[in-house]
Amino acid sequence: MRKAIFGVALLTLGIAALDPVVQSAEPQPTAVDAADIKALLQRLEALEKRNGELEKTIQQVDKLEQRNGELEKAIQQLQPTPASTQEGQEGPRPGANVDNAVIRDIVKDYLKGETDKKKAQEEAKTKATEVEGFEVGKDLKFSARWRDGFHAETADKAFKFYVGGRVDFDNSWYSAAHSVVNSIGQFNNFADPNQGLADGSEFRRARLRFQATAWEVCEFETEFDFANYIDLRRRALGIAPGATANLTNDFEPTPGVRFTDVWFGINELPWIGTFRAGHQKEWVTFTNATSDRFLTFIERPLLFDAFNNDFQFSNGFTVQRTFLDQRSYAWFGIFRTNSNFGASDVGDGDYAFDARLTALPLWRDDGDQWVHVGIDYSGRSLHLDQTRFRARTLVQAGESFQVPNIVNTGTLFSRDGEQLVNFEFASAWGPFTVTSEATFVWVPNAYTGGLPRANGSLPAGVVRRGDYNANGCYVEALYFLTGEHREYRKERPSYDRVRPISNFYAVRGPHGIISAPGAWEIGIRYDYLDLTHGGINGGTYNALTLGLNWHLNPTMRVQWNYVYATRDFEPTNAADRQEGNFNSFGMRFHWDW
């Protein structure tokens, strides 16, 4: 029908175009001018071209109407009708008992087919780009979006820029017998031992981060922590922390800024993978490799505090890469051993050599189930030939001099450095998470009170302790009440961000309150730490932590931890090394971007 109409229209336009010629020919026949004929032919050609385009459009419309008709016919056949009909009406059609859910599934499948088609086209375009290549830096127009923070990137992703940060607001409460509080106060040399365990509140972290990729293969990260304090009076008075640590009346803290991740990197290097230089994390342990944005409990385990925290960030050089479709990972680093809290370290021989190897033997359902295993090693020279191992409470609020040590070796001396080996196991089974690690540390030829003279004789107060050994472990189990699972970072083996199935909200709707829960997770962790060996009475620490995590959305969470802890010494004395237990309760408000 449409074709006939357009045919008549074309004929009418042609007659109208010829009409002036015919009229002029009737009264006085003359020869038609060649220019007029040419113009007329051009007009007819343009009309024919337009008519062809319209015919193509009609064909496309006809195809769409045909598909629409087929879809409507299928829906009509499945549309539910009453089981009985009135007189004169037809009986139930086939499919009358099919409900609207079936119809929605048909429409959903149809739309999915269109989506899959577009996805296939995009993938083909991407593959073509990979084969043909692209010119890096040709298109420098940035597009911005929000994805757990502010991201901007070019179309070819050769240039990326990210601005982010994190804040942790912590609160802690303690309960213990007076004898335990007083003993902990004496153990930390508090001027008032009765302040051994004091409730507190603090901003544990307040960090600002800038991260970028440039020219596809270069990258950098610059992050600073503003939630730190500098003890000016202690330094001015020259008070030795080992002798009179944590005196409550000998310091005047002032806000300071600390380096965390400040490094330069090169990606996609043949055989090497990624190279980085600068102030960066020493990823020896699964728990330290996990960002504090994704922690399962308020504090990392005791083994981290005892063996890793003093060198969590250091100046150094690292290389890392993944193998076997990101199922295996290797990381190696060389670091300065006295650059954790600052940007510099001066001293001959102050080096640490680290290595981490991990594997992912199980990976199912796109990460819904996974198993991770790994081993870590660190061999470290000692700055000024000194080291120490200690652990604090598992909920902390207050500056470092106010948060007491529960166990502590005091200063150990050795010219032979220290070595650390750690074993990793982590897994997720749907909503269940089970993780465990064990760390072993030894210090060869250890002394207390100082070092022997060059001739081997011992000054007064110096005691030979032999090879000192310490160890710690933990095991934790968590369960999502709302059905989520713990994500895993293949490019940096560790926990990843939790994404709730439904983000939290509670608002007033037209018929009352409407809401969604976010993600709720419960957990339990057991920690063990033994710092007593060879006459060094560092203490034994046991702790049981119960946790409740509320993930409001991917970037905000609230955490509650209850901790029951005990400590023991061999031998126990009447002053600062009393056995006993205490209770702690902590609450954290976390947000990052």
Side-chain angles (χ1 to χ4, degrees):
M1 182 65 181
R2 292 186 180 87
K3 294 180 180 179
I5 293 172
F6 279 105
V8 172
L10 180 61
L11 181 60
T12 303
L13 290 171
I15 294 172
L18 291 171
D19 184 63
V21 178
V22 175
Q23 289 180 356
S24 62
E26 287 180 355
Q28 187 176 358
T30 59
V32 180
D33 186 70
D36 293 336
I37 294 174
K38 184 177 181 181
L40 178 61
L41 292 174
Q42 289 176 347
R43 188 172 181 183
L44 287 173
E45 183 179 354
L47 289 171
E48 288 177 355
K49 182 178 180 181
R50 185 177 179 186
N51 186 43
E53 293 174 352
L54 290 172
E55 286 181 353
K56 290 181 180 179
T57 302
I58 290 170
Q59 291 174 358
Q60 294 175 354
V61 172
D62 288 342
K63 289 181 180 179
L64 290 173
E65 288 181 348
Q66 182 179 359
R67 294 179 69 179
N68 188 43
E70 292 174 354
L71 183 60
E72 288 179 354
K73 185 177 179 180
I75 293 174
Q76 289 173 1
Q77 290 177 350
L78 294 173
Q79 185 68 33
T81 59
S84 61
T85 59
Q86 297 179 0
E87 185 178 353
Q89 293 181 335
E90 296 180 357
R93 296 191 302 271
N97 293 326
V98 180
D99 59 17
N100 290 331
V102 177
I103 299 172
R104 287 195 297 269
D105 288 342
I106 293 174
V107 176
K108 183 179 178 180
D109 290 342
Y110 171 77
L111 296 176
K112 184 178 182 299
E114 294 296 316
T115 303
D116 291 343
K117 183 179 178 181
K118 291 181 180 179
K119 185 178 179 181
Q121 292 174 347
E122 292 175 357
E123 290 177 352
K125 184 178 179 181
T126 301
K127 290 180 180 179
T129 302
E130 292 175 353
V131 173
E132 297 174 2
F134 60 90
E135 182 180 348
V136 175
K138 183 177 182 180
D139 183 3
L140 293 179
K141 295 180 181 179
F142 278 78
S143 60
R145 60 174 172 168
W146 180 270
R147 189 181 72 249
D148 307 326
F150 176 81
H151 294 259
E153 60 185 24
T154 56
D156 58 12
K157 302 185 185 302
F159 291 82
K160 302 177 185 178
F161 185 70
Y162 163 70
V163 179
R166 73 200 75 172
V167 178
D168 286 323
F169 176 53
D170 289 359
N171 299 267
S172 61
W173 298 267
Y174 303 98
S175 172
H178 178 266
S179 60
V180 174
V181 173
N182 189 271
S183 177
I184 292 174
Q186 293 185 56
F187 188 68
N188 288 272
N189 296 311
F190 280 0
D192 181 0
N194 296 314
Q195 299 297 317
L197 289 173
D199 302 344
S201 173
E202 73 160 339
F203 281 92
R204 178 65 178 279
R205 298 175 182 90
R207 297 180 182 177
L208 184 61
R209 177 168 51 144
F210 303 91
Q211 189 171 353
T213 298
W215 303 102
E216 188 180 17
V217 295
C218 295
E219 61 176 350
F220 70 81
E221 181 172 331
T222 303
E223 182 183 78
F224 302 96
D225 192 350
F226 296 88
N228 287 275
Y229 289 84
I230 300 173
D231 183 5
L232 296 178
R233 189 176 181 199
R234 177 183 295 278
R235 294 184 179 183
L237 294 176
I239 299 173
T244 56
N246 291 324
L247 290 174
T248 58
N249 60 353
D250 74 340
F251 69 95
E252 297 173 356
T254 186
V257 179
R258 173 192 176 192
F259 272 39
T260 52
D261 278 302
V262 182
W263 48 258
F264 158 94
I266 303 175
N267 295 319
E268 306 297 336
L269 291 171
W271 304 291
I272 294 176
T274 297
F275 167 81
R276 289 177 179 173
H279 200 67
Q280 51 190 306
K281 264 194 175 186
E282 295 191 46
W283 288 342
V284 283
T285 70
F286 182 87
T287 187
N288 195 29
T290 296
S291 170
D292 46 58
R293 294 172 294 166
F294 316 135
L295 294 181
T296 51
F297 294 88
I298 291 178
E299 296 296 336
R300 290 183 170 92
L302 291 177
L303 60 79
F304 164 79
D305 204 22
F307 305 131
N308 303 127
N309 195 30
D310 285 345
F311 57 88
Q312 183 182 13
F313 293 93
S314 302
N315 289 348
F317 309 93
T318 63
V319 293
Q320 59 181 304
R321 65 168 298 178
T322 59
F323 306 85
L324 304 175
D325 193 26
Q326 295 189 311
R327 299 289 289 271
S328 184
Y329 171 84
W331 173 87
F332 302 95
I334 302 175
F335 295 93
R336 300 287 300 185
T337 58
N338 190 41
S339 56
N340 186 31
F341 291 98
S344 66
D345 174 29
V346 178
D348 291 338
D350 286 352
Y351 293 103
F353 300 89
D354 297 346
R356 185 181 186 217
L357 300 174
T358 72
L360 197 62
L362 178 67
W363 181 265
R364 292 178 180 171
D365 300 331
D366 197 26
D368 186 66
Q369 298 180 19
W370 52 266
V371 172
H372 160 102
V373 293
I375 184 171
D376 315 284
Y377 171 79
S378 180
R380 319 181 66 80
S381 62
L382 302 179
H383 181 69
L384 301 179
D385 297 323
Q386 299 179 26
T387 188
R388 61 93 187 255
F389 306 105
R390 59 96 178 95
R392 298 166 294 178
T393 56
L394 283 173
V395 292
Q396 304 170 14
E399 272 312 298
S400 59
F401 294 113
Q402 298 167 312
V403 178
N405 292 315
I406 305 303
V407 292
N408 190 354
T409 62
T411 302
L412 304 180
F413 297 85
S414 175
R415 294 190 176 98
D416 297 319
E418 69 178 75
Q419 298 184 66
L420 175 151
V421 173
N422 182 72
F423 298 95
E424 308 176 16
F425 173 84
S427 65
W429 307 89
F432 285 101
T433 303
V434 179
T435 297
S436 180
E437 292 188 89
T439 301
F440 302 88
V441 173
W442 60 97
V443 180
N445 300 316
Y447 295 82
T448 56
L451 288 167
R453 298 185 180 96
N455 61 6
S457 63
L458 299 180
V462 176
V463 180
R464 180 181 288 107
R465 300 295 184 178
D467 294 341
Y468 172 77
N469 298 290
N471 62 85
C473 66
Y474 75 92
V475 58
E476 65 183 27
L478 300 103
Y479 178 75
F480 279 101
L481 302 173
T482 46
E484 291 80 3
H485 69 274
R486 277 280 163 182
E487 300 285 350
Y488 180 85
R489 300 181 70 177
K490 286 186 175 181
E491 75 282 1
R492 171 183 161 179
S494 58
Y495 288 136
D496 205 347
R497 188 180 300 277
V498 172
R499 299 190 178 278
I501 294 173
S502 60
N503 293 334
F504 166 77
Y505 65 89
V507 298
R508 188 182 300 278
H511 304 292
I513 302 298
I514 57 175
S515 62
W520 287 84
E521 183 183 30
I522 57 175
I524 183 171
R525 184 177 73 197
Y526 169 71
D527 283 270
Y528 172 79
L529 183 64
D530 185 4
L531 302 183
T532 298
H533 182 266
I536 297 174
N537 196 11
T540 303
Y541 196 165
N542 292 269
L544 184 68
T545 304
L546 302 178
L548 176 63
N549 300 327
W550 180 24
H551 302 267
L552 287 78
N553 52 59
T555 61
M556 303 179 72
R557 72 175 181 269
V558 183
Q559 293 178 280
W560 297 271
N561 282 181
Y562 164 75
V563 184
Y564 175 79
T566 65
R567 69 173 190 161
D568 186 23
F569 295 95
E570 295 180 7
T572 296
N573 60 41
D576 59 355
R577 284 172 168 78
Q578 288 291 316
E579 297 179 1
N581 59 70
F582 58 95
N583 302 279
S584 309
F585 182 78
M587 180 169 59
R588 166 172 291 175
F589 296 87
H590 169 93
W591 61 99
D592 66 80
W593 65 96

